[in-house]
Amino acid sequence: MRDCTLVKTWVSALDYHAANGPRRGMRWTALVGTLWACLAFASTPKQGMLNSETWALAGSPYELTGQVSVNPGETLTIEAGVVVQANAGASLVINGNILVRGTANQRVLFTGPNTVGSWGGVKATGTPGSLFEYATFEKAQVGLQVTGSASAI
C-alpha cells in the first residue's frame, strides 16, 4: 500500500489542535475523515519480476508502476473484484501462468490512465495453464494478447 506517513503526520497535528483548541468536537471527525482519505487512495504497487502470488481484493487496487512479469513456472492468481490499475507505459507480461478468477457480480478490471492506449495491456506467452474468467480490459494498446498457448478465456 502507499505510504500514509504524511497523512498520519497531518492527523497528529489536527488531533492535537482539535483536542487543545477552540474546536474540540472536531477531533474524531478529522481522524475518521483523514483515515478514510488514506485508505481510499491506497494501492498496492507492483513492478519487476513476480514469483507465484495472489492478488486479493483486500489489496486492491494493484498499481502497475512499470513492466510486471510473471516468471516461467510461476502463477499469478487474481481474485474476483480486484482492480489492476496500470500507469502510463506499464504492462503485465505472463511468462508463467495467470488465473483471473472474476465472477459475474465481481469482475476483474484491468485499466490504465485516462488516455486510451496509454498502457501495454496483458501479454500471455506460452502459458497453457492460464485462465481468464469475467475480466474487463480497458484503455490499453491491446487489452489481452495470448500467443503460443492453450489458455482458457
Side-chain angles (χ1 to χ4, degrees):
M1 294 214 174
R2 284 197 181 137
D3 183 18
C4 290
T5 304
L6 182 61
V7 174
K8 290 175 187 173
T9 302
W10 185 69
V11 167
S12 295
L14 271 178
D15 190 33
Y16 172 80
H17 290 295
N20 300 304
R23 297 184 178 173
R24 293 180 193 193
M26 291 181 61
R27 182 177 186 181
W28 291 108
T29 303
L31 287 173
V32 170
T34 305
L35 179 60
W36 176 86
C38 182
L39 294 175
F41 297 106
S43 66
T44 304
K46 293 291 181 177
Q47 183 173 351
M49 304 295 282
L50 300 179
N51 291 320
S52 292
E53 63 181 71
T54 298
W55 293 0
L57 184 57
S60 185
Y62 289 84
E63 179 183 8
L64 305 182
T65 59
Q67 181 169 312
V68 176
S69 299
V70 177
N71 289 320
E74 304 293 336
T75 301
L76 172 61
T77 302
I78 303 177
E79 294 180 351
V82 166
V83 174
V84 179
Q85 174 72 48
N87 290 347
S91 60
L92 180 58
V93 179
I94 311 300
N95 297 311
N97 292 302
I98 184 169
L99 301 174
V100 178
R101 300 285 190 178
T103 66
N105 294 328
Q106 286 190 300
R107 300 181 72 84
V108 172
L109 174 63
F110 294 89
T111 189
N114 292 332
T115 307
V116 173
S118 59
W119 72 287
V122 178
K123 297 173 179 76
T125 60
T127 55
S130 293
L131 174 69
F132 292 87
E133 297 176 318
Y134 295 98
T136 299
F137 301 87
E138 61 182 31
K139 301 176 187 169
Q141 293 167 0
V142 176
L144 175 62
Q145 179 181 2
V146 180
T147 58
S149 73
S151 297
I153 300 173

